[in-house]
Amino acid sequence: MQEPLISVKNLKKHFDVGKDAVLKAVDGISFDIYPGETFGLVGESGCGKSTAGRTLIRLYDPTDGEVIFNGKNIFTLSRNQMSEVRRNFQMIFQDPYASLNPRMTVLDIISEPLEIHQIYKSKKEMKARVIELLELVGLNDEHAMRFPHEFSGGQRQRIGIARALALNPKFIVCDEPISALDVSIQAQVVNLLKDLQEKLGLTYMFIAHDLSMVRYISDRVGVMYLGHMMELAESEELYDNPLHPYTKALLSAIPIPNPDIQRSRQRIILEGDVPSPINPKEGCRFVDRCSYAIDKCRNVTPEFEEVRPGHFAACHRIGEI
Ligand code: SF4
């Protein structure tokens, strides 16, 4: 069995939001990410997936838990030790419009991390690296002296990807990298990410609410709901044999391009939105929206257990439904 690149153990991120009110955005999730894989993390908005991604690479200080990388818990590292880890952990943001400084040229944007980490001695070397990165993401040297507003959404996301690659990272958190883009551009960006993964041996965490795109890019997928991990399995297994009622409901909402199958399939309607994660009660977090709920679900939090090899789920009624 391959060693994980990253092991996440009981990760928690809570926010104090007023008197006796704690927002439990991420509340004790555990999983491994293996070298060279894409780990998809899905769930409705407000389920904690973006906070999980940011806490995992220590953009947020964790409330509890461990993230093991190179045999060390990164949450215990000093500032200096963390600087080396930061080079290996990068992020691609959701909104290519907001994540690039409008007053900086593309050259300055991409060379910023190289300057911070003092990678090159001369400006000339640094510029050559920026051009290499631009070409890697399908742009060219003519783009280097332009400003973000001169580019389309897809091109801006390519600039964001080039910046994330500048320090030769091992692991990139892609936080909804295509959801702000036109549908016609989304597949291009996903294909670019796949090509770069193959060329550079990258490992991704791909956060999204679009389940069909996650299936296409991910090797394994975790499903989050209200700060908890509900289900985790290899992509095909999860999509073909979902076990958890929440995953089943999410999957039943994906349109099927065959009208006969689409008409005859059973849709599970998820009523309402994800409830507030402030001071959540004991028991299953999905209980208020689950049609299979029994009394036990209100009082006892289900364990996240391996139900089949490599297929984990947290539900009291897995064997029955
Ligand atoms: Fe539904 Fe109960 Fe399973 Fe939660 S534990 S998903 S409420 S059946």
Side-chain angles (χ1 to χ4, degrees):
M1 184 77 184
Q2 210 180 10
E3 281 292 306
L5 179 73
I6 292 166
S7 274
V8 179
K9 298 179 197 275
N10 194 31
L11 184 68
K12 294 185 184 177
K13 178 61 190 172
H14 298 172
F15 299 91
D16 282 328
V17 288
K19 201 168 171 285
D20 299 328
V22 180
L23 188 154
K24 298 188 174 178
V26 178
D27 201 21
I29 57 172
S30 303
F31 53 92
D32 293 327
I33 300 178
Y34 293 95
E37 81 164 339
T38 298
F39 181 86
L41 193 59
V42 299
E44 291 162 284
S45 94
C47 69
K49 52 196 191 305
S50 285
T51 307
R54 282 162 199 239
T55 312
L56 197 156
I57 57 172
R58 224 176 132 177
L59 283 185
Y60 293 156
D61 282 331
T63 304
D64 201 0
E66 296 180 356
V67 169
I68 311 292
F69 174 71
N70 276 345
K72 292 191 184 108
N73 176 10
I74 66 161
F75 297 152
T76 62
L77 299 180
S78 67
R79 235 187 141 88
N80 275 349
Q81 291 168 318
M82 195 56 209
S83 154
E84 185 53 35
V85 174
R86 285 224 186 284
R87 287 180 60 167
N88 279 307
F89 288 4
Q90 293 293 320
M91 185 141 186
I92 298 167
F93 294 90
Q94 174 178 5
D95 187 350
Y97 299 89
S99 63
L100 305 177
N101 186 332
R103 285 181 290 277
M104 286 167 79
T105 63
V106 169
L107 175 66
D108 291 340
I109 289 169
I110 299 176
S111 52
E112 199 176 31
L114 299 170
E115 277 194 41
I116 292 171
H117 288 266
Q118 299 174 345
I119 305 290
Y120 295 104
K121 289 192 184 78
S122 74
K123 290 260 178 215
K124 197 174 157 198
E125 277 177 298
M126 194 157 65
K127 188 170 179 193
R129 171 66 176 152
V130 170
I131 289 165
E132 183 186 37
L133 287 161
L134 284 172
E135 285 168 356
L136 204 55
V137 299
L139 298 171
N140 60 54
D141 57 347
E142 285 173 19
H143 295 118
M145 297 317 290
R146 297 196 200 160
F147 290 87
H149 72 266
E150 296 176 67
F151 294 90
S152 66
Q155 286 175 318
R156 285 185 224 198
Q157 197 53 293
R158 286 171 192 265
I159 297 165
I161 294 169
R163 181 178 57 185
L165 294 175
L167 297 169
N168 279 325
K170 286 198 168 77
F171 175 61
I172 302 182
V173 174
C174 308
D175 186 7
E176 305 237 16
I178 53 168
S179 46
L181 302 176
D182 284 353
V183 176
S184 58
I185 307 295
Q186 290 182 351
Q188 289 175 17
V189 172
V190 166
N191 286 334
L192 171 66
L193 287 170
K194 281 186 122 186
D195 287 349
L196 291 168
Q197 182 171 45
E198 225 170 272
K199 250 186 228 161
L200 307 173
L202 295 164
T203 303
Y204 294 137
M205 175 186 251
F206 193 92
I207 298 170
H209 59 265
D210 177 347
L211 269 81
S212 38
M213 196 55 90
V214 171
R215 176 180 198 162
Y216 175 64
I217 193 168
S218 304
D219 298 291
R220 291 184 308 135
V221 177
V223 181
M224 270 188 86
Y225 186 80
L226 214 61
H228 281 180
M229 194 70 88
M230 294 288 155
E231 187 161 4
L232 191 164
E234 283 188 6
S235 235
E236 280 200 15
E237 164 73 3
L238 187 101
Y239 282 78
D240 293 344
N241 301 304
L243 297 174
H244 196 284
Y246 180 54
T247 315
K248 289 182 188 209
L250 286 180
L251 290 175
S252 84
I254 301 178
I256 294 177
N258 178 331
D260 293 335
I261 300 179
Q262 176 69 13
R263 257 194 305 277
S264 61
R265 79 200 292 223
Q266 192 200 353
R267 284 219 42 200
I268 306 166
I269 307 292
L270 264 178
E271 305 275 352
D273 296 323
V274 180
S276 164
I278 296 175
N279 297 345
K281 296 189 207 101
E282 266 304 301
C284 175
R285 295 272 161 100
F286 189 53
V287 69
D288 291 329
R289 298 169 85 193
C290 181
S291 50
Y292 301 98
I294 51 175
D295 283 350
K296 184 182 180 187
C297 307
R298 299 216 167 265
N299 309 315
V300 183
T301 305
E303 293 288 328
F304 186 61
E305 289 174 329
E306 191 165 18
V307 183
R308 297 181 192 148
H311 193 154
F312 300 78
C315 173
H316 293 307
R317 303 194 64 195
I318 280 302
E320 308 162 46
I321 54 179

